[in-house]
Amino acid sequence: MIQKQITEKIKEFNTIIIFRHEMPDPDALGSQGGLQKAIQHSFPKKNVFVVGEEEDKLKFMNTMDNVPDKEFEDALIIVMDTAIKNRISDHRFNQGQYLIKIDHHPETEPFGDLNWVDTSFSSASEMVCDLIANSPELGLSSDAARLLFSGIVGDTGRFQYPNTTEQTLLYAGQLLSYNFSAQDFYKELYKESRSVAKLKGMALTHYELTENGVAYYVVSKETMEQLNVTAHEASNLVNCLSNIEGNHIWLFFIEADYGYRVRIRSKEVAINKVAQKFGGGGHPLASGVKVENQEVGEQLIRALDEKLTNRE
């Protein structure tokens, strides 16, 4: 059983450094921090660090450690919730002694010495719950439970998405037995500044819609600067287009130095293979890509529109 192999490696190393993907979401931070807190709770003498860039809006969940390069030499590296290497936040992931990948995205780029990739899980946070459930040596603290619950909630859309299973709810229920406030998490996660609310209003008022039901909105650098909204805050608004009648697939284009970061979502039609053709990837109903200019963005919209006309 791969969970046992992972636990044995955790027991073997005195220094463990846990990574996750860039531009973190609640599951990235929840699985990373939840695993850190669980290991610290179970093995207090181990040095367990989390690394990656900070996201101001999510600092209430967990903050990162400042880890010098020398700590990596004899370390176990664990990369959470990241399908491909170029999305790992902090380039030092390959400087450790042994690398484990734990991820619930479809496998596109195997890396590391040990890969645990399973798309049947709702989230990487649920995978950590499963790891602990199958490892008598690992236990939970209230802080670990808070982070893992937050990650599951984030990637299931508060248990609304089809990736929510009986097991997901079972683990979430077990986490709620620990001493933390789910209500405090919800309050912080879904709190919006007036600037973000203004941008949401602009998107709802001015988004475009193709004949077959691909909705899209472009957020320019100029708009973000004028409203004092970060790219991360802008990209998190993608689902404001989700419940509008006639929107079958919806996208947010966020202008960046390299072109545009695009977040893609769908109600029923799988979109990840289209995303892969444009150099991205993700889940069947939630994917992302980076495009270099508007022309490529328009090609992406047309490809998704064609996908709706030829539903599999």
Side-chain angles (χ1 to χ4, degrees), residues 25 104 122-123 126 151-166 168-169 189-190 236-240 242-243 250 263-267 283 285-286:
D25 56 16
H104 69 122
S122 69
S123 54
E126 185 183 337
I152 292 173
V153 167
D155 257 27
T156 61
R158 288 179 286 181
F159 310 107
Q160 297 177 87
Y161 299 159
N163 60 351
T164 304
T165 66
E166 181 181 350
T168 309
L169 295 173
L189 182 63
Y190 297 109
N236 281 341
L237 291 176
V238 60
N239 280 323
C240 75
S242 63
N243 292 321
W250 53 100
R263 299 193 78 180
I264 315 168
R265 300 292 185 267
S266 173
K267 280 189 172 72
H283 300 289
L285 302 182

Side-chain angles (χ1 to χ4, degrees), residues 8-10 17 49 59 66 78 82 137 139 144 150 158-159 187 209 221-222 242-243 284 287 295 311:
E8 289 302 314
K9 284 297 176 184
I10 289 171
I17 306 174
F49 305 107
K59 280 184 178 179
N66 184 13
I78 304 177
T82 313
E137 301 93 336
S150 302
R158 288 179 286 181
F159 310 107
K187 190 185 304 180
L209 183 66
K221 283 184 178 180
E222 183 181 6
S242 63
N243 292 321
S287 294
E295 182 180 352
R311 301 189 187 198

